[in-house]
Amino acid sequence: MIGYLTAILVVVLISALVALALNLQWGQAGMVNFGIFGFFAATSYVAALSSLAGYPLLISLVLAILTGVALSALVALVSARLREDYFAIATLAFAEAVRLFLLNETWLTGGANGLPGIPRPLSAYSSGQSYELLFFVMALVLAAICFAFAEALTKSPFGRVLRALREDDLVAATLGKHVLSFRIWAFSAGGAILGVAGYLHSSYFGYIDPTQFGAFVTAYAFMAVIAGGRGSNTGLLFGAVSVMVLLEGTRFLKDLMPFLDAGQAASLRLILIGAGLILLLIYKPQGFFREHRLRVDKGDTK
Amino acid sequence: MTEPLLKVEKLCAGYGSGDIVKNAGFTVSENGISTIVGPNGAGKSTLIKALVGLLTPRSGSIILAGKDVSKMNAPAKARAGLGYVPQEHNVFRNLSIGENMMLAYEFIAPDRAGFSAARDRVFDIFPDLVGRESDLAGNLSGGQRQMLAFGCALMPHPSLLLLDEPSAGLSPKYVEGMFAAVKAVNDAGVCILMIEQNVREAMAISETAIVLAAGEIRAQMPAREFMNHPDIHALYMGAASTRQQEGA
Amino acid sequence: MLQILLNGIVSGLLVALPAVALSLTYGVLNFPNFAIGSMITFGAYIALFFNVDIGVSLFVAAGLAAVGLAAVALLIDRLVYRPLRGADHVTLLVASIGVYFVLENVVRFLFGSDIRGYDVTVARPHRWMGLRVNNEQILIFVVAFLAMVIVWFILMRTPFGRAMRAVSDNPDLADVRGISRNKVIALVWVIAAALCSTAGVLIGMDGIIDPLMGWNYVLPLFAAVILGGIGNPLGAVLGALIIGIVEEMATLVLPTTYRQAVSFVIIVLVLLLRPHGLLGKPRISR
């Protein structure tokens, strides 16, 4: 039971990190990263490859983070000026390009077969169920650091500028803010968090392949961010946890409806994800939590 | 006196929490030109949007030719005989002049056959448009575009035409022409209700002045009386609210 | 070389059908519809159902698929997009990702994830002046060409086509002109559905049918629409032909598995260099 619980919690933490990255990029900076699964895939593969090459935890982690930052900075540099919908298309195109690379450069990535046998970190210190717990604690610490990092960014002057840019480029630009560089930094900060998420993902599962990184990762992340209230990091935690609990809960669909085969149960889950996302947009577009900025403003909007 | 063409009663409309137009009431009688004047921020644009149906009124009623159109959306109001020339973005820029004129007609007027007669009538008033049907509307100058917008609104023979600041953004050369066109359209039998900032020029062709300030109708009176009013300033600024009901 | 050009034009025409659909919905509803790929897939599977499971001819099945997909598209508009009318375009495009999930997985749920094919006999390719042409290619050429002509006629020569262009140009003014936006939107969905399902059937005849078939076209579609200028359906056709030809040419120097990367490169280049599309003239915005 503890094993199952920690497994779920680790999965929740990883997806919370992906959502946290999206919350910085989209929630704070207004950059609609539809290709978030591509960045996540790239950092996961780098983490996996460096772990397989025998590098220790810290080095693999740092490499994954650097990959996230570098790719994000590159993509942002090229496309940060674009309108929201173009940006979404451009990032999605990038992610698809990453997927093509992973599928076809078999010598490096194993292609469709993926990379098995990724060494698990800290396995020298523990094993069995206590190892699961140890991994969970490590993931929790890393996630807490990321969360603190995101929260600090949000509350800093940098965060304020980002939100100003999100609301109105022109106004912020006339204030003399360098729109482009702020955007690139914000997007890269998200990329760093995706690096941590990628590291945890590949080292926890010990096996990665391209099918783990599809558009559904984007859908999860958007659901979590919207449910938590765009821009709010605390709300996001709630959003990520509730979305993942919901999704994990749908795994039991198969038990409820034994006449479904495994494929049907899996597709039913994804149908529910899509429907959930749509319902959220229609009925709770502001999320269940409000961004703290809105709370502050509330007194004088009337 | 017969039933007025347009009767607005206790109209409230706005965005967000507050009402911008509050309890507005006025009438527009058949024939003639009525002009709504008022200082910036008086709520003129909001009032006209509510009349046209681009903004749903919160309460109150709008009766056009004896028919309650208060709750209708913009397309339905257009079909009920309300023409409208917005101040900006008033032509389809990526469509040709001919297509603009056709679109202005075909979804409102019931009979196909009347199209060419309607077009000829518009060409009579705006001869500049003749022979340019295949030009892209977006390539017209500001003044020509305004003429096209005006002509389009006339195409389906509206019973009442609303103009949102027809002279705004026009060079002085065109302003005079614009008001002459408004007068010509009215002479052709179309009742007009407009919003205008150029009060003096507008009043020269108007029969009725309707004063809107701070979202309320302060007065409705004959244009001549308005121009000779000893206290226009006070009307504008609201000190004359005691006269509110007069002439209504 | 001529062979490559021919293959490129044919695969470009295949992209052009849904690219026109994407461009129309983009213009009139003002958001990029990421569910366009799953509409292709869904259409292909409706035809598969009628062709293989019921046993009608593929031609009839394709017609039924167009009708069926149109009904599905109208239902989705009613349930999803209409409640969100007036929302910002990010909300709409996120919603379209939700729609994509639902559609693609309804297909998986009902038909499974295996590769399927239509019940048609494959004829030997013709040889003509040294060119290899198969029946599917001729069919794609004829059908796509006819579809383009019909769409062009509707758009440029009928009141509803004008209304569509009017709504995509200036929705508020279209309201004032007595044009009912919901009717125009419904018509756009019907046309888009017909184009997507036709493309789905043609793609299925030429290749394979699986739940991912439409998703694989999403990048080329967006590349074509961006290349042609957003909201410009005729530009999208041109964009699609260019994508088709460049993809074919790229196979000379790149492994065929990287075909789709062409779309990625084109998207990046166009967005960087000519965000208004290849036809240059920026659409006159309001």
Side-chain angles (χ1 to χ4, degrees):
Chain A
M1 192 56 211
I2 293 201
Y4 184 67
L5 202 64
T6 49
I8 286 191
L9 286 174
V10 169
V11 172
V12 167
L13 279 177
I14 293 170
S15 42
L17 283 175
V18 176
L20 189 65
L22 183 68
N23 198 33
L24 269 182
Q25 298 177 332
W26 177 51
Q28 296 288 329
M31 302 168 86
V32 192
N33 187 359
F34 259 35
I36 200 159
F37 63 93
F39 296 91
F40 183 40
T43 59
S44 297
Y45 269 82
V46 167
L49 287 168
S50 58
S51 296
L52 281 168
Y55 291 116
L57 186 162
L58 263 182
I59 294 189
S60 298
L61 179 63
V62 168
L63 282 175
I65 292 173
L66 288 178
T67 308
V69 171
L71 285 178
S72 303
L74 190 71
V75 170
L77 195 63
V78 173
S79 42
R81 277 196 192 84
L82 300 174
R83 223 172 63 180
E84 283 165 329
D85 46 350
Y86 290 89
F87 190 82
I89 296 168
T91 47
L92 184 74
F94 166 78
E96 282 293 296
V98 168
R99 200 174 61 96
L100 277 181
F101 180 86
L102 296 179
L103 270 174
N104 294 311
E105 298 306 308
T106 315
W107 58 276
L108 182 68
T109 64
N113 294 326
L115 294 170
I118 301 163
R120 309 191 75 184
L122 308 175
S123 50
Y125 303 99
S126 179
S127 64
Q129 280 206 348
S130 62
Y131 176 78
E132 295 290 320
L133 210 58
L134 180 66
F135 193 98
F136 169 66
V137 170
M138 177 186 83
L140 193 63
V141 169
L142 286 176
I145 294 172
C146 289
F147 183 80
F149 169 64
E151 190 67 352
L153 271 186
T154 308
K155 296 252 165 79
S156 71
F158 177 79
R160 280 200 294 279
V161 174
L162 282 183
R163 286 189 296 279
L165 289 181
R166 182 188 71 191
E167 303 304 333
D168 195 333
D169 284 8
L170 212 61
V171 170
T174 50
L175 291 173
K177 306 297 183 191
H178 301 289
V179 178
L180 202 61
S181 66
F182 272 94
R183 286 241 159 103
I184 294 170
W185 279 112
F187 205 70
S188 310
I193 294 175
L194 286 174
V196 178
Y199 175 78
L200 288 175
H201 179 88
S202 64
S203 59
Y204 184 73
F205 291 101
Y207 163 76
I208 54 176
D209 73 50
T211 61
Q212 297 168 0
F213 310 96
F216 59 88
V217 175
T218 296
Y220 286 159
F222 271 87
M223 262 174 108
V225 173
I226 296 166
R230 194 181 152 193
S232 152
N233 290 321
T234 9
L236 177 96
L237 280 185
F238 162 82
V241 171
S242 49
V243 167
M244 281 316 287
V245 166
L246 194 77
L247 293 178
E248 288 302 314
T250 56
R251 284 191 195 281
F252 298 106
L253 275 176
K254 199 167 145 35
D255 302 330
L256 284 175
M257 289 180 265
F259 48 89
L260 299 180
D261 64 37
Q264 284 181 318
S267 45
L268 197 57
R269 281 185 69 208
L270 289 167
I271 291 174
L272 290 176
I273 293 175
L277 186 58
I278 293 165
L279 290 175
L280 206 54
L281 287 169
I282 295 178
Y283 294 107
K284 272 281 174 202
Q286 303 300 320
F288 297 94
F289 284 78
R290 305 182 91 186
E291 194 175 351
H292 72 259
R293 167 187 72 104
L294 291 174
R295 273 205 305 274
V296 174
D297 286 348
K298 208 176 173 187
D300 51 21
T301 45
K302 166 69 195 168
Chain B
M1 190 179 147
T2 54
E3 186 75 0
L5 179 62
L6 178 75
K7 191 161 121 195
V8 177
E9 276 176 340
K10 293 187 182 145
L11 189 74
C12 294
Y15 307 90
S17 49
D19 284 346
I20 295 174
V21 172
K22 299 161 202 143
N23 264 325
F26 61 92
T27 56
V28 174
S29 54
E30 217 134 347
N31 308 321
I33 299 174
S34 303
T35 301
I36 301 174
V37 294
N40 279 331
K44 296 191 299 280
S45 292
T46 308
L47 174 61
I48 210 163
K49 282 209 169 72
L51 291 178
V52 174
L54 288 175
L55 179 68
T56 313
R58 298 243 167 88
S59 60
S61 70
I62 304 169
I63 313 285
L64 180 68
K67 197 172 160 195
D68 187 351
V69 297
S70 330
K71 296 288 169 215
M72 285 184 178
N73 61 11
K77 275 186 179 154
R79 285 189 286 266
L82 200 65
Y84 173 49
V85 182
Q87 185 181 337
E88 302 173 293
H89 316 312
N90 49 19
V91 299
F92 297 112
R93 294 186 173 201
N94 296 292
L95 273 63
S96 72
I97 291 175
E99 286 175 325
N100 265 283
M101 295 177 78
M102 223 181 270
L103 269 170
Y105 184 82
E106 62 197 350
F107 286 90
I108 299 175
D111 73 311
R112 276 288 135 80
F115 173 73
S116 54
R119 190 181 49 188
D120 291 345
R121 192 172 75 127
V122 170
F123 281 159
D124 281 347
I125 303 172
F126 301 109
D128 280 7
L129 300 174
V130 179
R132 302 189 58 180
E133 282 108 312
S134 55
D135 290 6
L136 211 57
N139 293 336
L140 293 174
S141 74
Q144 292 168 324
R145 196 180 294 162
Q146 200 72 7
M147 297 290 171
L148 175 61
F150 202 167
C152 283
L154 281 178
M155 288 294 294
H157 299 274
S159 49
L160 175 66
L161 188 58
L162 298 180
L163 306 177
D164 190 353
E165 306 218 9
S167 74
L170 294 186
S171 62
K173 180 180 81 160
Y174 274 112
V175 170
E176 203 180 315
M178 194 62 202
F179 282 114
V182 172
K183 184 81 185 109
V185 168
N186 181 242
D187 289 343
V190 181
C191 180
I192 289 174
L193 172 64
M194 65 177 170
I195 289 177
E196 231 342 296
Q197 293 277 14
N198 282 325
V199 177
R200 200 161 296 278
E201 289 89 337
M203 285 306 150
I205 59 167
S206 300
E207 267 87 60
T208 309
I210 297 163
V211 183
L212 183 75
E216 294 169 21
I217 302 290
R218 294 286 153 98
Q220 175 167 4
M221 64 181 78
R224 199 181 313 262
E225 189 184 321
F226 175 76
M227 290 313 283
N228 297 325
H229 200 279
D231 214 359
I232 292 180
H233 185 74
L235 273 178
Y236 256 55
M237 294 314 162
S241 55
T242 46
R243 295 176 59 94
Q244 194 172 349
Q245 297 307 317
E246 210 167 286
Chain C
M1 191 62 209
L2 257 171
Q3 182 74 49
I4 287 175
L5 197 65
L6 177 88
N7 293 350
I9 288 174
V10 170
S11 60
L13 281 172
L14 214 45
V15 174
L17 289 171
V20 169
L22 180 62
S23 181
L24 282 175
T25 53
Y26 209 148
V28 170
L29 289 123
N30 198 21
F31 76 95
N33 182 9
F34 284 97
I36 192 89
S38 57
M39 283 176 72
I40 297 174
T41 310
F42 211 88
Y45 272 88
I46 299 177
L48 181 78
F49 170 76
F50 283 113
N51 177 233
V52 176
D53 296 335
I54 306 281
V56 303
S57 77
L58 187 55
F59 184 73
V60 176
L64 291 169
V67 175
L69 189 62
V72 170
L74 290 175
L75 184 71
I76 290 170
D77 185 63
R78 186 70 199 80
L79 293 179
V80 181
Y81 299 122
R82 198 187 285 190
L84 292 172
R85 212 81 91 207
D88 61 312
H89 53 210
V90 176
T91 302
L92 287 162
L93 61 94
V94 175
S96 75
I97 281 275
V99 171
Y100 150 70
F101 270 92
V102 173
L103 284 182
E104 186 178 306
N105 288 291
V106 166
V107 165
R108 283 183 201 275
F109 187 85
L110 295 175
F111 296 92
S113 297
D114 298 337
I115 291 171
R116 307 277 300 265
Y118 290 122
D119 190 8
V120 282
T121 45
V122 178
R124 286 167 54 88
H126 306 277
R127 296 213 164 259
W128 179 67
M129 286 169 56
L131 291 176
R132 233 181 96 243
V133 187
N134 60 32
N135 284 345
E136 285 76 28
Q137 285 180 312
I138 296 173
L139 190 71
I140 289 169
F141 192 89
V142 173
V143 172
F145 189 77
L146 274 179
M148 297 301 146
V149 172
I150 292 170
V151 171
W152 180 86
F153 183 82
I154 293 175
L155 266 182
M156 306 308 282
R157 290 283 180 270
T158 67
F160 267 109
R162 270 193 292 280
M164 268 185 234
R165 286 185 295 140
V167 171
S168 111
D169 188 294
N170 186 342
D172 276 351
L173 187 61
D175 270 358
V176 175
R177 293 282 182 261
I179 297 167
S180 155
R181 205 180 302 186
N182 282 333
K183 271 189 203 157
V184 169
I185 288 173
L187 187 71
V188 165
W189 282 120
V190 169
I191 295 175
L195 288 168
C196 285
S197 71
T198 306
V201 172
L202 292 173
I203 293 167
M205 282 178 73
D206 199 35
I208 52 160
I209 302 172
D210 74 1
L212 270 177
M213 61 188 283
W215 179 257
N216 291 333
Y217 273 84
V218 166
L219 271 202
L221 282 177
F222 275 102
V225 168
I226 288 176
L227 198 54
I230 283 175
N232 178 353
L234 302 175
V237 175
L238 186 69
L241 287 174
I242 293 173
I243 303 276
I245 293 167
V246 174
E247 272 189 352
E248 248 355 279
M249 298 234 211
T251 54
L252 294 177
V253 285
L254 277 175
T256 45
T257 43
Y258 275 110
R259 261 180 91 112
Q260 278 197 58
V262 169
S263 303
F264 169 64
V265 173
I266 288 180
I267 287 175
V268 170
L269 287 181
V270 176
L271 288 181
L272 274 182
L273 305 174
R274 299 205 68 138
H276 294 298
L278 201 65
L279 293 185
K281 178 185 67 180
R283 255 174 85 78
I284 306 169
S285 63
R286 280 177 260 160

